[in-house]
Amino acid sequence: LTQKKMLLRALTTSSFRVAVAKSTFAKAAILAERKNFIHSSNILGSETVNVHRDTPQNNLDTQWDFTAANYEEIKKILKKYPPNYKRSAVMPLLFLAQKQSESMPEHGSTGWIPLAAMNRIASVLDMPPMRVYEVATFYTMYNRNPIGKHNIQVCTTSPCMVCGAYDIVTAVKNHLGVEVGESTKDGLFHLMEAECLGACVNAPMMQIAGPICNDAYYEDLTAESAIAIIEQLRKGQTPKKGSQIGRLASRGLVKTNLTAPPSGPFCRDLNAK
């Protein structure tokens, strides 16, 4: 009991209150610093990721539904999950909705997911719409506003970066007159940076989503070849997929990287039969 009284007395002393106040202030300063670091990009860019704003083409009254073919595809997707875990299919259904919008003129024929599509997914999966919104706002691969018809995604992760990825980004920006995250005024192109797309051997590279390219990879790029691909899309043509320098898959351009015969010593007789 005496120890409890001493503790209570200590808690009420002015020095203790000052220490608590200093600690609280320090924590608040750290949180403020973290907040400024996290939101170092402009506020408008952050809002497009996390916040919904009603627009004439994207609100609760917008008409959107899966096609009959895609409802059949949904049945196939749901077979991959136990009936009591069908909500786990929310990500493939969001992707399916985004791909369907690419062929819907009433929604701009561009890959994005209207609010009405998210609500339809919630209905199909018997889950609260908010749960669908949470997933759609967390992953940057889901576009919740209309973008350009051809979504140019330049990989800027380390292997591509050291091979000149930002030269590609700069060339595309200058050629189209847009910044990263923007679409051209004619609605044809959208530019974004992507995290690793798994084609590091053929860096630098980009992936283009849309009705023509259908998420195809374009690898071994130069600023000139990237712009040439864009101009082919502008004309409605289908660019050559894969390596732009004739590489087969991820093979080297020559059989060996050695510039001279190996000097040894060898662990065995290389001339032995």
Side-chain angles (χ1 to χ4, degrees):
L1 183 62
T2 303
Q3 289 181 344
K4 290 183 177 179
K5 287 183 178 180
M6 293 176 64
L7 179 60
L8 289 172
R9 188 176 300 169
L11 292 175
T12 57
T13 59
S14 58
S15 60
F16 180 81
R17 290 197 298 269
V18 170
V20 171
K22 288 182 177 179
S23 175
T24 303
F25 178 79
K27 289 180 180 178
I30 292 172
L31 289 174
E33 183 178 355
R34 288 178 180 174
K35 183 177 181 181
N36 290 334
F37 175 77
I38 293 171
H39 298 289
S40 58
S41 59
N42 61 58
I43 299 299
L44 179 61
S46 300
E47 286 181 345
T48 59
V49 173
N50 297 315
V51 181
H52 172 77
R53 301 280 188 243
D54 272 356
T55 63
Q57 74 271 22
N58 189 16
N59 54 68
L60 287 174
D61 296 324
T62 303
Q63 298 299 310
W64 196 99
D65 199 356
F66 285 108
T67 62
N70 276 342
Y71 271 118
E72 291 301 315
E73 185 64 26
I74 289 172
K75 291 179 181 178
K76 296 178 183 178
I77 292 172
L78 291 181
K79 288 180 180 179
K80 300 177 182 179
Y81 304 92
N84 55 325
Y85 286 102
K86 67 178 182 179
R87 294 182 179 185
S88 300
V90 62
M91 293 186 70
L93 263 62
L94 282 167
F95 179 75
L96 189 65
Q98 183 161 286
K99 294 299 294 181
Q100 178 176 308
S101 292
E102 291 179 359
S103 56
M104 300 177 75
E106 64 272 31
H107 293 288
S109 296
T110 180
W112 69 294
I113 309 171
L115 186 66
M118 297 184 215
N119 292 337
R120 174 58 60 188
I121 291 171
S123 176
V124 170
L125 298 180
D126 296 324
M127 61 191 296
M130 180 54 69
R131 296 301 186 190
V132 182
Y133 306 159
E134 288 171 348
V135 176
T137 55
F138 182 83
Y139 293 100
T140 56
M141 69 181 75
Y142 300 126
N143 303 308
R144 296 183 299 105
N145 289 295
I147 60 172
K149 182 178 181 180
H150 306 290
N151 187 12
I152 303 169
Q153 305 158 71
V154 182
C155 178
T156 54
T157 311
S158 302
C160 281
M161 180 184 68
V162 299
C163 291
Y166 281 106
D167 294 336
I168 307 300
V169 172
T170 300
V172 174
K173 285 167 54 177
N174 293 338
H175 184 71
L176 295 179
V178 298
E179 294 296 325
V180 173
E182 295 180 349
S183 298
T184 55
K185 293 180 179 179
D186 59 8
L188 274 181
F189 300 100
H190 180 81
L191 175 63
M192 63 181 289
E193 292 185 31
E195 292 304 314
C196 185
L197 294 171
C200 310
V201 175
N202 300 353
M205 58 83 62
M206 63 185 179
Q207 180 182 27
I208 303 181
I212 293 179
C213 296
N214 196 27
D215 301 305
Y217 278 18
Y218 300 89
E219 306 157 0
D220 293 314
L221 293 172
T222 63
E224 293 75 20
S225 61
I227 291 173
I229 290 169
I230 291 171
E231 287 307 304
Q232 283 182 278
L233 290 173
R234 193 188 300 278
K235 297 174 183 177
Q237 300 172 352
T238 302
K240 173 182 172 291
K241 300 177 183 178
S243 174
Q244 301 301 300
I245 58 173
R247 186 199 302 268
L248 179 60
S250 296
R251 295 182 185 179
L253 297 178
V254 293
K255 291 183 178 180
T256 176
N257 288 330
L258 297 176
T259 57
S263 59
F266 305 111
C267 61
R268 57 188 171 84
D269 185 359
L270 298 181
N271 294 321
K273 294 183 180 179

